Amino acid sequence: MPKFTETEYDGIELAHRPTGAAKPPAATDAYDGDFARMVAAFLAPGVHNVRTASGLRLAYRTWGDACAPPVVLAHGRGGSGAHWTEVAERLAVTRRVYAVDLRGHGLSDWPGRYSFEGFRDDLRGLIDALGLAGADLVGHSMGGGAALLLAQDAPELIGRLVLEEAPTFAPLDPPRRYMARPDEELAFDWPVVADTNAQLNAPDPAWRERLAGLAVPTLLVAGGAASEIMDQAGIAEMAARIPGSRLVTIDAGHSVHTVRPDEFVAALREFGI
């Protein structure tokens, strides 16, 4: 059965802020907070901003030659695009890399309500706004779930899909319970946890039913026995459901790309990224 650690929300440090990010504002007013993050994003070196068709502002970072084939990186819960830096620097040798801060995270807007569909829409909005149709898409954990939903809904937007320790969207048993907000400073909006936990507890059955029809070349990266977040048997089952998919296990735990970046990038290279 799927497993989880009761007190985790994807293994990101409570007070971690991306390089160049301002301290998150203490004010509870959503407009004031988004304005402060927008200013911080404009001032932060290497950070760009884009407005999606929905009006949401997304911050993102880039590496590599602007003319190189694009790859988009989507972080896990509690993270940001900055968490991909080691991998992005390696991929940038041959690729133009885009690492987005999904809504409610880092320097992007924090609208207050969250869902995997919303994160999916962020990825689609970024790809549409920047003209990146056909880009390869790499998603970690929550970001992997969003990437999977986009691949199901709009396969024409994606070249290759990589799911690193992504949720399998099998109902969690036991379900995740209420988690009180920590007192520490956070670099993401705490309601992300409750909103995504509710969907992980009772996911839309169609998300798993549609795996068999996934029409995008897919690589699944599992963290092995060291992963305390994702059920490894569940990842293998998901791989078996996706036609022609590949499964690679790197014994690094839930965050393979940060613990074993060289091996992670090697797996991506072998997959054609």
Side-chain angles (χ1 to χ4, degrees):
M1 66 181 65
K3 61 182 180 180
F4 70 100
T5 301
E6 183 63 34
T7 57
E8 81 76 41
Y9 46 86
D10 261 4
I12 305 301
E13 312 91 89
L14 292 172
H16 181 88
R17 291 195 300 276
T19 301
K23 180 177 179 179
T28 58
D29 184 87
Y31 176 82
D32 289 345
D34 279 343
F35 180 77
R37 279 182 288 275
M38 180 178 67
V39 172
F42 277 106
L43 294 176
V47 176
H48 312 278
N49 294 271
V50 65
R51 288 276 177 190
T52 66
S54 68
L56 193 78
R57 182 189 57 82
L58 297 174
Y60 66 96
R61 295 160 179 81
T62 59
W63 293 260
D65 187 336
C67 295
V71 56
V72 176
L73 310 179
H75 61 80
R77 192 166 73 176
S80 74
H83 288 97
W84 287 105
T85 298
E86 286 192 80
V87 166
E89 290 174 345
R90 290 162 169 80
L91 292 177
V93 174
T94 58
R95 292 300 192 105
R96 176 65 164 181
V97 183
Y98 299 81
V100 63
D101 290 0
L102 297 170
R103 67 181 67 194
H105 292 79
L107 297 177
S108 290
D109 283 347
W110 295 15
R113 296 295 300 273
Y114 303 97
S115 66
F116 282 97
E117 296 94 334
F119 299 129
R120 171 204 62 198
D121 293 345
D122 291 347
L123 295 176
R124 180 163 196 161
L126 180 81
I127 291 171
D128 285 344
L130 299 182
L132 301 178
D136 294 329
L137 180 56
V138 181
H140 172 235
S141 197
M142 180 195 79
L148 173 61
L149 296 190
L150 181 60
Q152 291 178 339
D153 291 344
E156 70 278 3
L157 294 181
I158 301 171
R160 294 176 178 83
L161 175 67
V162 179
L163 304 176
E164 176 200 355
E165 284 276 305
T168 64
F169 292 132
L172 294 181
D173 182 18
R176 293 187 180 182
R177 299 184 291 276
Y178 168 79
M179 295 171 63
R181 187 193 188 283
D183 293 332
E184 292 88 346
E185 180 182 308
L186 300 176
F188 71 101
D189 198 8
W190 185 250
V192 168
V193 174
D195 290 349
T196 54
N197 277 352
Q199 289 192 296
L200 291 170
N201 287 340
D204 184 339
W207 296 346
R208 280 176 65 80
E209 292 168 0
R210 296 175 69 188
L211 291 175
L214 192 61
V216 176
T218 304
L219 169 68
L220 293 91
V221 179
S227 177
E228 296 182 352
I229 309 303
M230 295 299 172
D231 175 46
Q232 301 300 289
I235 294 176
E237 180 192 3
M238 183 164 69
R241 289 171 176 252
I242 299 173
S245 69
R246 305 182 193 179
L247 172 61
V248 172
T249 298
I250 300 172
D251 193 16
H254 184 55
S255 189
V256 180
H257 71 278
T258 59
V259 177
R260 300 270 183 89
D262 288 331
E263 292 178 52
F264 182 78
V265 171
L268 268 56
R269 295 291 193 203
E270 186 175 349
F271 185 53
I273 293 179

